[in-house]
Amino acid sequence: RRTSVTKPRQRNVHKLPFRKSAYCILRSTMKKRPTTALLAAMVAFTAISLIGIEARAGVIHSVPETWSAAGAQGWSASLGNATVANAGGYLGISFPALGSPPGPGEDEEIVLTSGSPATSMFVGNYTEAGIAWARFDFMAEDVEPGFVQLQWTSATHTWRYNLDVTGVGTWNTYTVNFIYGAGWIGDPLWNNEDQFLADLAAVDWIGIAVGRGAPSTSGQDYGLDDFELGVPEPGQLSMLCAAGLALLLTLRRKRTG
């Protein structure tokens, strides 16, 4: 069903929150033995993160939703301007043909998964779970969309991320980082990092918004597949710790030399 797949954008993982207690110890040790403090911080950060990822693995799963099973798997069209259905291994999004141009609010659809059903594996506390990015595949089957956004919301605030979609009949893979200032759009009244992080701790739904392309009256079909949430890979944290150990050994050799 796929003619080609665009390679994912370069992955940038958001660091897990640094523990306050570790910070206090590091600050105290740094004054006396800076190199030892640096190594200790790397070891502690790696250990805590690895334990945390393992302990929180059941909170929000990073296993992709591939729609390999029948049905929409808890995803739905929230505005009612399009229909969603399992299209044989991916989620199909279909806008019907219209006899006249769509009115205000009728030219887009938000396809999402939310806390209802409660079994949704893509909602909850992203901060506690260490979620760093969302990755998914999207395809315009016959008409380029007017726009596509990744969207998510807490109980009161919605955040949007614009995606660049070009071409028809080709699957494209997108990776979007949950980092404030990296392209996320919020209402100017509360668009700040503190609110962004607070909302990440209570994600109520997440999905994509799709706008009708031109001509806006034509029937249009789009596809969503392989939706997943990710955490920083343990291997990357281990490499950071190893680099810190190598740095410490180098500094000690210089001192003894």
Side-chain angles (χ1 to χ4, degrees):
R1 57 186 172 86
R2 300 186 182 183
T3 56
S4 62
V5 177
T6 301
K7 294 296 183 180
R9 298 173 182 174
Q10 183 176 357
R11 184 185 305 181
N12 298 312
V13 291
H14 180 48
K15 294 181 180 179
L16 295 175
F18 197 78
R19 274 44 175 190
K20 184 176 181 181
S21 57
Y23 171 76
C24 295
I25 296 173
L26 174 63
R27 185 176 181 181
S28 176
T29 309
M30 185 67 75
K31 296 179 180 180
K32 300 179 180 179
R33 298 180 178 179
T35 54
T36 302
L38 175 62
L39 177 61
M42 289 182 175
V43 173
F45 179 81
T46 301
I48 293 173
S49 299
L50 290 174
I51 294 173
I53 289 173
E54 179 65 25
R56 294 190 296 265
V59 177
I60 299 180
H61 301 282
S62 59
V63 177
E65 177 55 75
T66 62
W67 287 279
S68 56
Q73 303 301 310
W75 290 69
S76 62
S78 66
L79 301 180
N81 299 323
T83 58
V84 298
N86 192 313
Y90 67 94
L91 188 67
I93 306 166
S94 299
F95 286 92
L98 301 175
S100 59
E106 297 178 344
D107 57 352
E108 67 175 286
E109 186 58 81
I110 299 176
V111 180
L112 57 85
T113 181
S114 66
S116 179
T119 55
S120 175
M121 58 186 176
F122 298 116
V123 299
N125 190 331
Y126 282 26
T127 303
E128 182 180 279
I131 297 300
W133 44 262
R135 181 180 296 128
F136 54 92
D137 294 346
F138 182 84
M139 176 181 65
E141 294 190 16
D142 39 32
V143 177
E144 286 190 10
F147 69 87
V148 178
Q149 294 178 334
L150 177 65
Q151 294 189 6
W152 60 273
T153 186
S154 64
T156 55
H157 302 133
T158 299
W159 294 89
R160 304 172 177 85
Y161 189 99
N162 290 317
L163 301 171
D164 183 18
V165 179
T166 58
V168 173
T170 300
W171 284 96
N172 297 279
T173 302
Y174 298 90
T175 301
V176 181
N177 299 294
F178 292 106
I179 301 175
Y180 180 78
W184 288 102
I185 304 169
D187 189 287
L189 294 176
W190 42 260
N191 190 346
N192 59 74
E193 185 173 12
D194 289 341
Q195 188 61 63
F196 181 83
L197 296 176
D199 290 339
L200 271 180
V203 176
D204 186 59
W205 61 259
I206 186 170
I208 61 169
V210 183
R212 278 181 176 268
S216 61
T217 56
S218 66
Q220 302 177 17
D221 296 293
Y222 304 96
L224 177 66
D225 201 4
D226 295 337
F227 194 97
E228 65 178 336
L229 300 175
V231 298
E233 297 179 5
Q236 294 175 330
L237 301 175
S238 299
M239 290 176 63
L240 178 63
C241 180
L245 177 61
L247 175 61
L248 178 62
L249 293 175
T250 300
L251 293 175
R252 286 186 173 180
R253 287 174 181 173
K254 288 183 178 180
R255 287 183 179 180
T256 56

